[in-house]
Amino acid sequence: MKLPLLLLLLSPVACLAQYRPIHTPTPPRPAYTPAPPRPGPTPSQVQQRTQQTHQRSESMRLQQFSQAQSLNNYVQQLRRNANQQEILVHRRVMYRQWSQEELVKDQASRQQEEQKGNAQIAAFIEQQQRKRLEQPAQDAQQASEQQQEEAKQLSLFKVKIYQELFLPGQIDAALQSQTLSPKSREQVQSISKDLLDNTWWSKQDAGQLPGLLATHSNTLATLTGELLEFDIASPPAAPSPLSLSSLNEMLAKNSFDQLAAGKIIQSAAQADKITAGQRLAKAVMDFKRVTSNDAANQALHSDPKKLRSSVKESLRIVNAEMVRYDALINNLERVYEAKKAVLHATTNYVKMNDKSSQEG
């Protein structure tokens, strides 16, 4: 019994003693050979790369600055334009509040500026004539060249005087023409005060009332026509576009007339009035039909209260359209655009032909 037990205990040890793992040797690693070092940039290459980086950075900075400067200039120009247009709006409002005495005083001041300009032009022409007598031309060709040069110098002088003394007055005159004069405004207010007052109606004789209504109506129509400067019975369909052809033709011939230039400004003012005054003209014509002799006589016999109501309602519409006209004319920019265009054309003419301007 003891021997089998001993054999049983010894059998695993024998098995383990018989097991020997097979070892496969690892092949030796190849020897490490370091890569040859890369050649570094030469000092000239380093300097060239640094210059290129600096140039790219400087170019980007200049481009950003240029874009910012352009945007700033554009914004400044918009602000200047807005300010100039705002000044014109303020002037229109101021002219509506003026008295007749203030208007007459302003017109007298404007005439003085124009007289001053004309006197300076006359003195310049006399100076040219004296110089021509002191230094007469030697032949026909020299006389022709002298005449052309004198015409150019005179035109340049007129343009400069126009910008300084004539153009500001023409702008003021254009703006004033777009509003009722103080005297006309008082007449319109007087008509409204009468016809909207029931006491006035109760005091009128029935036989004289149609004539009074017709007189008020004709006065209102006349004042409106003078303001708008067109026939309110058949207003123009659309204003003519701004044109500088006459001014450019004058300057191309080295000739300049301040009155012709002023017509461009005045035409722009009239174009604004055509745009803003269509409904006002219609309202005044409707009022004129309501207050005509035939309509008034017929209404007096049939329904006097209806006549009074119709006249007052029609007049209220006229007053509302007058307020609307004032608001519209303030938002139109043709006078400002005409002023800017005339200044641009005349300034370019001076730059191209004035030697002192070119040297400066």
Side-chain angles (χ1 to χ4, degrees), residues 151-152 155-156 158-160 162-163 244-257 261 264 341-350 352-353:
K152 179 187 292 186
S155 179
L156 283 169
K158 284 183 174 181
V159 167
K160 294 176 183 179
Y162 171 77
Q163 291 181 340
L244 298 180
S245 58
S246 59
L247 176 61
N248 292 331
E249 289 174 3
M250 280 195 305
L251 295 176
K253 297 176 182 178
N254 287 321
S255 175
F256 185 77
D257 181 3
I264 298 174
V342 170
L343 273 176
H344 180 74
T346 52
T347 301
N348 281 348
Y349 175 77
V350 172
M352 292 175 59
N353 295 279

Side-chain angles (χ1 to χ4, degrees), residues 130-325:
R130 286 196 304 269
K131 185 177 180 181
R132 192 184 313 126
L133 294 174
E134 294 171 358
Q135 301 175 1
Q138 301 299 321
D139 52 37
Q141 181 178 354
Q142 188 178 13
S144 176
E145 293 174 354
Q146 186 181 47
Q147 184 178 4
Q148 292 177 3
E149 181 63 21
E150 287 180 356
K152 179 187 292 186
Q153 294 305 317
L154 177 59
S155 179
L156 283 169
F157 187 79
K158 284 183 174 181
V159 167
K160 294 176 183 179
I161 293 297
Y162 171 77
Q163 291 181 340
E164 179 184 355
L165 299 177
F166 287 93
L167 180 58
Q170 291 176 353
I171 296 297
D172 287 341
L175 297 178
Q176 289 173 6
S177 73
Q178 292 182 326
T179 65
L180 286 170
S181 68
K183 185 177 180 180
S184 298
R185 186 170 60 248
E186 290 177 0
Q187 289 180 276
V188 172
Q189 292 173 351
S190 177
I191 293 172
S192 294
K193 182 179 179 181
D194 285 347
L195 299 186
L196 296 178
D197 183 10
N198 289 330
T199 303
W200 181 89
W201 284 86
S202 62
K203 292 180 179 180
Q204 303 308 314
D205 181 80
Q208 297 179 352
L209 182 59
L212 291 173
L213 292 177
T215 299
H216 281 328
S217 176
N218 291 333
T219 300
L220 184 58
T222 300
L223 295 175
T224 305
E226 291 174 352
L227 168 65
L228 300 180
E229 292 186 287
F230 60 75
D231 183 4
I232 63 174
S234 55
S240 302
L242 176 66
S243 174
L244 298 180
S245 58
S246 59
L247 176 61
N248 292 331
E249 289 174 3
M250 280 195 305
L251 295 176
K253 297 176 182 178
N254 287 321
S255 175
F256 185 77
D257 181 3
Q258 61 267 19
L259 295 179
K263 288 182 180 179
I264 298 174
I265 305 297
Q266 195 60 42
S267 296
Q270 187 174 359
D272 278 348
K273 292 193 285 186
I274 293 174
T275 300
Q278 297 285 332
R279 285 176 47 169
L280 174 59
K282 181 180 182 304
V284 173
M285 289 304 300
D286 290 343
F287 176 76
K288 191 173 183 179
R289 281 188 285 271
V290 171
T291 56
S292 65
N293 274 316
D294 293 340
N297 282 317
Q298 183 178 358
L300 278 174
H301 287 90
S302 60
D303 192 346
K305 290 185 179 180
K306 184 177 181 181
L307 172 63
R308 180 189 304 187
S309 176
S310 299
V311 170
K312 292 171 71 173
E313 177 62 24
S314 182
L315 184 56
R316 289 191 183 97
I317 294 175
V318 170
N319 291 337
E321 289 302 327
M322 186 67 76
V323 173
R324 181 178 180 273
Y325 165 84

